[in-house]
Amino acid sequence: MNFKDIRVLYWREIRSALRDRTIVTNSILLPILLYPTIMWLVYTGITFVSGQNEELKSRIMLKEIPAAHEILKKEFEGDKSIVLVHSPDPAADLRNATLDAIVEFVPPKSIQAIDNDFATRISYDESRDASNRARSRAGQKISRYRENYLERQALKLGLTRAQFQNFSIDERDVSTGREVSAFVIVLPIFFIIMLAVGGMHPAIDSTAGERENSTWETVMTTATSRANVLVAKYLYVATMSFTAGFLNLFAMIFCMGTLLAPLFGNNSSLRIPIQSSPVVLIGAVLLALFVAAGMMILASFARNYKEGQSMISPFYIALIVPVMFLQTPGLEFTPRIALIPVANVMMMIRDAFQGVYHWRSIGITLAVETACVVLALRVAMLVIQHEDFMMGSYSGGFGKFVKERWATKRHKDHKNPL
Amino acid sequence: MHAPVVVRNLRKIFYDEGRGEVKAVDSVSFECHEGEVFGLLGANGAGKTTTLRMLSTILTPTSGTATIMGHDVVSSAQGVRKNLGFYSATTALYPRLTTRETIDFFARINQYPADLVEQRVEYLIDRFGLAKYADARIEKLSSGMKQKVSVARTIAHNPSILIFDEPTVGLDVLNALDVQETISELRSEGKTIIFSTHIMSEAQRLCDRIAIIHGGHILACDTLSGLRDTTQQHYLEDIFVLYVKAGQETV
């Protein structure tokens, strides 16, 4: 292997790739812009919907409000999102959707301990958004009023708020930011998708694309070995795949730390610990090497870009399927899980995001992924030695190739049993 | 002293699902001398391209031997490619590289001394009148310009042997003449050139010796005057038809 030649070939590939709009979009721009765009869209959507809700008025009827609580009626009247209405047949109006909620004041269920105690019943139509909204608005208003009222009554009896609220729930978080939200669990899935998307176009471009442009023959007549050509192409695809994954990780860490966390009250579970970086980086490199090898093997059988895309698609799906395991609740990163390629790296990264490191499983993962990469490269070397394949005259995919090789081997074994 | 190109009993058999074994090239032998243009003249499917692909190490011969500057095409493929420039009408360039980058890449990958590459690139840009397009991407060039860049990249590493596989296919008359002129210039610089074509006038104009190839066999190999004397025919077209018909009868 000649590293000088590999370097020349590698930079040729990179230079060409950086001038290709599709590759730049899929391997660089998309991973960077995906999260900010998604978050901007979600934020805009939420703002829009809540703005719409603010503008919608709830039609509420107050029924039999006690004289002692007339002030509550005034609070309802003062709320711009509520319109108080009077109806002779409120039940019918509620059914006909001309009324959104009925608030009835009823005597309290228990014996009255304080003066003018009251209870309310809110009638609404669960099937209508407007009615649900009216229920929520009325409920909040009454709860707030009732709490203040009870506090005032308690003070009259010489009780402070702390004294009459002696039953309370005190929550204490001991996780020190290790537990993660469901969103963080989904991140590795996006990560693998980005790695695959980032490697897909370069893999097709460097194999089927070369055939389509008729540059394959050109490079095969240069004074370097085929192994050098293969290694350079492989490193190029792996670089683009890794770049897409790394940029995506960087973008997600940035978005979560600077955009999402402040929105959710500086929730520490939305920040990814910096200590996880080495494990995440190693995982990203291994995955990129594996994805690049798999995609290149498949794409190299294609004679044009379109064929390349259809040949890679099954591999793309096969990559995503094991990652779906991640969503299984309570799934632990055990040594057995570490034997499953791709899913093992995803589990390793997911745990690292939580600050958890199962070193034995990590060791098995590294060994399994390295073995997969070596195996894939061995297959790629076998494929590239095939003359039909070299000339681009091979009509068939990887499956047919393996079948033919197997048949040839069996034929030879049959001829020479010893 | 050995000839720069020596081909002995070269054979290539392909396996086709429908037709079974296909002998694309069968016992082809010839030698090319230093500084000559050796023409392979044959109809489509005669075995010209397969022969040249074996010489340029793209294909491995089924049997027989071939050496380029003393390097065997099978055991010393890299040595062969270092001494060889391969040009084909179907051989394309990288569309997203510039002219300068293309020549630079091919000079480096073909082991031209690294410290002389820049000088060589400038020389070739100047030689082929590409200065105006030196930093333009290949995809933006006209087909005539692409042709020039393609020739420049073929000789970027200054090889002793050049293979031109039907270089004028698909070119207009003026561009075809340009390529022919370049081949003549390269011969005068002492390069050994193997030139395949099915166009009689080209072979007549350019080649010092002509091998008539048909059905994977070389039917005749001589200078034009030698072929005329043997066949008592004046025009190359008539000579070609005579040999092909005789060859078919023999088969």
Side-chain angles (χ1 to χ4, degrees):
Chain A
M1 217 173 278
N2 182 331
F3 291 103
K4 197 185 113 239
D5 285 1
I6 292 172
R7 202 182 64 212
V8 172
L9 288 159
Y10 174 79
W11 284 114
R12 206 281 307 151
E13 296 279 3
I14 293 281
R15 190 173 280 154
S16 277
L18 293 177
R19 290 173 185 167
D20 184 278
R21 204 174 294 167
T22 317
I23 293 176
V24 169
T25 306
N26 286 296
S27 304
I28 298 171
L29 294 179
L30 183 68
I32 294 176
L33 298 176
L34 180 72
Y35 288 108
T37 310
I38 288 176
M39 279 172 200
W40 176 76
L41 285 173
V42 169
Y43 187 74
T44 310
I46 290 170
T47 313
F48 176 75
V49 171
S50 63
Q52 292 280 308
N53 285 346
E54 287 295 314
E55 280 176 21
L56 293 171
K57 292 189 188 295
S58 300
R59 295 158 300 178
I60 298 171
M61 180 180 168
L62 297 179
K63 215 171 157 188
E64 293 163 20
I65 187 159
H69 299 294
E70 274 295 318
I71 194 160
L72 177 60
K73 190 180 176 187
K74 286 204 172 85
E75 279 185 23
F76 268 92
E77 284 167 346
D79 193 328
K80 285 177 183 168
S81 65
I82 293 172
V83 178
L84 286 182
V85 291
H86 181 75
S87 164
D89 187 1
D93 286 348
L94 190 60
R95 276 197 302 277
N96 299 333
T98 50
L99 183 66
D100 295 325
I102 307 161
V103 179
E104 286 175 84
F105 289 81
V106 292
K109 284 169 191 165
S110 58
I111 302 153
Q112 284 195 16
I114 46 174
D115 295 341
N116 302 314
D117 195 8
F118 70 97
T120 52
R121 184 192 300 130
I122 303 174
S123 306
Y124 69 103
D125 183 349
E126 173 80 38
S127 63
R128 284 197 295 121
D129 285 344
S131 189
N132 277 314
R133 199 180 307 119
R135 182 207 61 158
S136 164
R137 283 171 177 170
Q140 279 174 13
K141 206 162 271 301
I142 294 165
S143 295
R144 213 175 305 129
Y145 173 79
R146 181 170 165 76
E147 203 167 305
N148 289 334
Y149 175 75
L150 288 174
E151 196 173 347
R152 281 199 306 275
Q153 294 300 317
L155 277 171
K156 272 188 200 170
L157 295 169
L159 286 170
T160 61
R161 188 183 184 86
Q163 281 170 322
F164 81 86
Q165 280 190 337
N166 59 0
F167 181 83
S168 64
I169 300 165
D170 185 20
E171 290 179 354
R172 206 147 51 94
D173 182 7
V174 294
S175 70
T176 62
R178 275 170 54 175
E179 272 73 20
V180 289
S181 63
F183 188 66
V184 174
I185 292 172
V186 180
L187 289 185
I189 298 173
F190 279 101
F191 175 63
I192 181 78
I193 291 171
M194 275 301 123
L195 265 173
V197 169
M200 192 162 98
H201 288 279
I204 300 171
D205 183 56
S206 64
T207 50
E210 288 244 25
R211 288 233 174 82
E212 206 170 11
N213 290 329
S214 306
T215 46
W216 190 249
E217 199 176 75
T218 315
V219 81
M220 287 303 146
T221 54
T222 56
T224 189
S225 72
R226 284 169 188 175
N228 290 342
V229 175
L230 179 77
V231 170
K233 284 181 181 294
Y234 172 62
L235 289 177
Y236 150 65
V237 179
T239 304
M240 297 313 282
S241 179
F242 173 78
T243 305
F246 177 78
L247 289 175
N248 186 248
L249 260 182
F250 180 78
M252 77 170 80
I253 290 170
F254 174 78
C255 282
M256 287 176 70
T258 59
L259 299 175
L260 267 189
L263 273 177
F264 291 93
N266 272 326
N267 186 346
S268 63
S269 70
L270 290 172
R271 291 188 197 279
I272 292 165
I274 198 82
Q275 300 91 312
S276 66
S277 317
V279 172
V280 174
L281 273 177
I282 291 170
V285 169
L286 281 174
L287 262 186
L289 289 171
F290 178 69
V291 166
M295 284 189 169
M296 273 192 71
I297 290 170
L298 295 174
S300 56
F301 285 91
R303 282 168 292 187
N304 54 48
Y305 224 91
K306 248 186 180 171
E307 263 186 28
Q309 277 176 320
S310 60
M311 282 178 176
I312 279 185
S313 297
F315 181 71
Y316 187 82
I317 294 163
L319 275 178
I320 309 293
V321 170
V323 176
M324 293 302 165
F325 280 117
L326 282 173
Q327 288 176 316
T328 312
L331 189 71
E332 291 278 322
F333 183 31
T334 58
R336 201 174 283 184
I337 294 266
L339 292 170
I340 306 170
V342 183
N344 54 8
V345 179
M346 290 294 90
M347 290 296 286
M348 186 174 90
I349 291 176
R350 196 192 78 169
D351 278 7
F353 280 166
Q354 300 172 61
V356 177
Y357 304 95
H358 298 285
W359 294 113
R360 193 162 162 239
S361 299
I362 289 175
I364 294 171
T365 300
L366 298 184
V368 167
E369 288 300 316
T370 309
C372 285
V373 169
V374 171
L375 185 74
L377 283 177
R378 292 273 301 167
V379 173
M381 283 305 291
L382 257 175
V383 169
I384 207 167
Q385 282 160 17
H386 204 260
E387 207 162 69
D388 273 6
F389 163 83
M390 287 298 300
M391 296 311 302
S393 55
Y394 189 80
S395 56
F398 181 64
K400 188 183 168 193
F401 177 80
V402 172
K403 230 158 92 184
E404 277 178 10
R405 294 285 302 181
W406 180 248
T408 313
K409 194 180 176 299
R410 279 187 64 184
H411 181 66
K412 274 184 190 165
D413 290 348
H414 183 69
K415 270 174 125 179
N416 313 301
L418 295 175
Chain B
M1 183 149 164
H2 285 293
V5 180
V6 181
V7 178
R8 293 275 175 265
N9 297 316
L10 210 59
R11 290 176 85 212
K12 182 68 190 176
I13 298 171
F14 290 113
Y15 182 79
D16 183 84
E17 271 179 30
R19 294 185 292 167
E21 282 191 353
V22 178
K23 284 179 187 169
V25 172
D26 196 4
S27 299
V28 162
S29 300
F30 61 85
E31 280 183 10
C32 302
H33 308 133
E34 200 175 326
E36 78 166 350
V37 177
F38 181 84
L40 270 179
L41 183 67
N44 292 333
K48 304 185 297 284
T49 300
T50 306
T51 304
L52 297 184
R53 279 180 173 165
M54 284 191 280
L55 291 185
S56 57
T57 75
I58 299 172
L59 293 177
T60 311
T62 308
S63 65
T65 59
T67 56
I68 303 273
M69 300 298 286
H71 297 279
D72 186 86
V73 292
V74 178
S75 59
S76 178
Q78 262 177 268
V80 168
R81 294 200 288 262
K82 199 175 165 183
N83 287 285
L84 188 81
F86 185 82
Y87 178 100
S88 155
T90 56
T91 305
L93 300 161
Y94 293 105
R96 297 191 292 270
L97 292 190
T98 65
T99 300
R100 193 187 300 281
E101 287 164 353
T102 302
I103 302 170
D104 184 281
F105 168 71
F106 282 102
R108 284 181 201 279
I109 202 64
N110 285 311
Q111 320 303 329
Y112 195 74
D115 50 332
L116 299 175
V117 167
E118 261 181 57
Q119 214 177 316
R120 178 75 179 163
V121 172
E122 290 312 315
Y123 163 74
L124 289 171
I125 285 174
D126 195 44
R127 174 178 177 165
F128 290 100
L130 294 164
K132 206 174 153 189
Y133 310 98
D135 296 310
R137 286 196 207 174
I138 299 295
E139 61 194 352
K140 307 271 182 204
L141 301 182
S142 66
S143 48
M145 281 297 148
K146 279 182 191 163
Q147 211 67 38
K148 285 183 178 178
V149 178
S150 206
V151 177
R153 75 103 191 129
T154 306
I155 61 167
H157 55 302
N158 201 15
S160 315
I161 316 290
L162 293 167
I163 292 178
F164 284 84
D165 183 18
E166 306 208 63
T168 56
V169 167
L171 291 186
D172 61 48
V173 182
L174 293 176
N175 282 322
L177 276 174
D178 260 358
V179 172
Q180 287 175 25
E181 233 166 72
T182 307
I183 291 171
S184 296
E185 281 170 24
L186 291 167
R187 172 181 40 198
S188 60
E189 288 168 22
K191 307 281 184 203
T192 305
I193 297 164
I194 306 176
F195 175 79
S196 88
T197 185
H198 62 268
I199 304 166
M200 306 293 154
S201 59
E202 265 184 9
Q204 203 162 335
R205 188 175 302 152
L206 281 173
C207 300
D208 297 306
R209 285 190 305 139
I210 298 167
I212 295 174
I213 185 166
H214 186 76
H217 298 273
I218 287 192
L219 305 174
C221 180
D222 207 339
T223 57
L224 182 59
S225 58
L227 289 170
R228 278 175 178 156
D229 289 347
T230 315
T231 58
Q232 298 298 307
Q233 300 285 331
H234 179 76
Y235 295 108
L236 185 56
E237 203 169 345
D238 295 332
I239 297 169
F240 179 78
V241 171
L242 196 78
Y243 272 111
V244 168
K245 279 189 175 167
Q248 278 170 346
E249 277 165 23
T250 313
V251 171

